[in-house]
Amino acid sequence: MTRVRPHRDASGHRAGRRILGSAGLGLLLLAPVACGDGEDSAAPTTSASGGPQTSSSLAPSTTNATTSTTSPFGTTFAYQPLWPFRSLEEVTAWQREYRAGGQQAWHLDPGQTALNFASGYLGFREVDRTTSSSTSGDGVLIGVGYETEGGRTGTAAVVHLLRFGPGPDAPWEVVGTEDSFFSLTNPSYGARVTSPLTAGGRITGVDESIRVEVRQVSSAAPLGEFCCVPAGGEGSPWQATVTFRGASDGVLTVVASTGGHLLRVERFTVTAVRV
């Protein structure tokens, strides 16, 4: 269910906020988004700027949560693991390497993990800084964004992260994004999907052009993509159908993005689905 009410973001734009689900923050800007693929990269350097974001955490569904004792994601991880680890076994393997030689210590930094998710996994290279940080129940919310004209900062999304695995060196895992005035409500978080997939939500903006991709951690290129859906207005619905193939990971990322006014990607929102 979606509930939208207007508010102002850090840049002064009107926005709507969804209480449950995943989405992004950003500027209201104008022109089609360009096409481009992403791949994993080294963690970028973080920088804190901009004001705090108003947000609420994803609420795990008992139907969609991966809490079975036979689950590869562990018995206490009640969200879908999007990135960078696909399973508790992968977490344990990294912990062994880290404890032996300090490899990839950025996994212990939620800001660097959120940035690498956006710029590396999703391929949004223009997202190069953190804009906010706050705690949210069992995790953290990290705003990620970019510099705009006049040295101001725009927020592209607020990424929700949780610790994944046992011990004080449990790494941070991306489990979704926090909604503001660009939402991705269909398919629902943790839903089982097949191809073609119908994605949709609501957006507040002017002359937006929404691109949708389906991704998995084990593939550098998207499994499927649709470009683009014209959209605009205040809390207006949008929808797109994406055909995808080659899904081998248990959890997939559905990502919707818009931009082109100042940067290629200025707002994005993600949700987790299963196959």
Side-chain angles (χ1 to χ4, degrees):
M1 179 177 295
T2 300
R3 187 176 73 189
V4 178
R5 59 187 177 87
H7 74 279
R8 297 274 178 177
D9 71 357
S11 304
H13 295 284
R14 294 195 70 187
R17 177 180 166 205
R18 188 164 65 86
I19 300 303
L20 176 64
S22 60
L25 295 169
L27 301 175
L28 305 180
L29 306 164
L30 299 171
V33 75
C35 298
D37 296 332
E39 59 185 16
D40 288 348
S41 65
T45 303
T46 63
S47 62
S49 59
Q53 304 295 322
T54 303
S55 55
S56 61
S57 64
L58 288 169
S61 163
T62 55
T63 300
N64 297 329
T66 51
T67 56
S68 166
T69 55
T70 60
S71 168
F73 310 123
T75 59
T76 60
F77 200 75
Y79 292 76
Q80 306 300 319
L82 281 178
W83 189 88
F85 300 101
R86 293 173 295 176
S87 67
L88 191 59
E89 286 76 11
E90 290 186 356
V91 169
T92 302
W94 170 77
Q95 285 179 315
R96 285 196 298 266
E97 294 180 355
Y98 173 73
R99 292 166 184 172
Q103 286 88 341
Q104 296 184 311
W106 61 267
H107 286 302
L108 300 177
D109 186 322
Q112 289 193 21
T113 302
L115 276 177
N116 208 22
F117 171 73
S119 65
Y121 176 49
L122 300 182
F124 301 155
R125 306 300 186 191
E126 45 277 276
V127 179
D128 61 0
R129 65 198 62 208
T130 60
T131 59
S132 65
S133 177
S134 62
T135 59
S136 177
D138 50 0
V140 297
L141 299 170
I142 302 291
V144 293
Y146 44 82
E147 184 176 350
T148 64
E149 294 178 356
R152 293 180 296 178
T153 299
T155 297
V158 175
V159 181
H160 187 192
L161 305 98
L162 300 175
R163 292 277 196 179
F164 191 7
D169 58 354
W172 289 99
E173 178 80 6
V174 174
V175 297
T177 49
E178 186 68 11
D179 273 354
S180 185
F181 48 87
F182 182 24
S183 69
L184 178 55
T185 56
N186 184 40
S188 61
Y189 185 81
R192 292 193 180 275
V193 300
T194 58
S195 179
L197 175 152
T198 299
R202 292 185 178 273
I203 189 167
T204 295
V206 179
D207 291 339
E208 302 296 336
S209 185
I210 301 172
R211 178 186 184 89
V212 183
E213 296 179 343
V214 179
R215 288 184 169 272
Q216 66 180 6
V217 174
S218 61
S219 302
L223 304 181
E225 54 191 308
F226 180 90
C227 186
C228 291
V229 182
E234 184 165 343
S236 299
W238 66 269
Q239 183 173 291
T241 300
V242 186
T243 300
F244 65 93
R245 65 181 64 183
S248 57
D249 294 357
V251 177
L252 306 180
T253 304
V254 182
V255 53
S257 61
T258 184
H261 305 85
L262 298 177
L263 299 170
R264 180 179 66 96
V265 172
E266 294 147 348
R267 287 188 282 171
F268 71 89
T269 168
V270 309
T271 194
V273 295
R274 295 182 293 164
V275 292

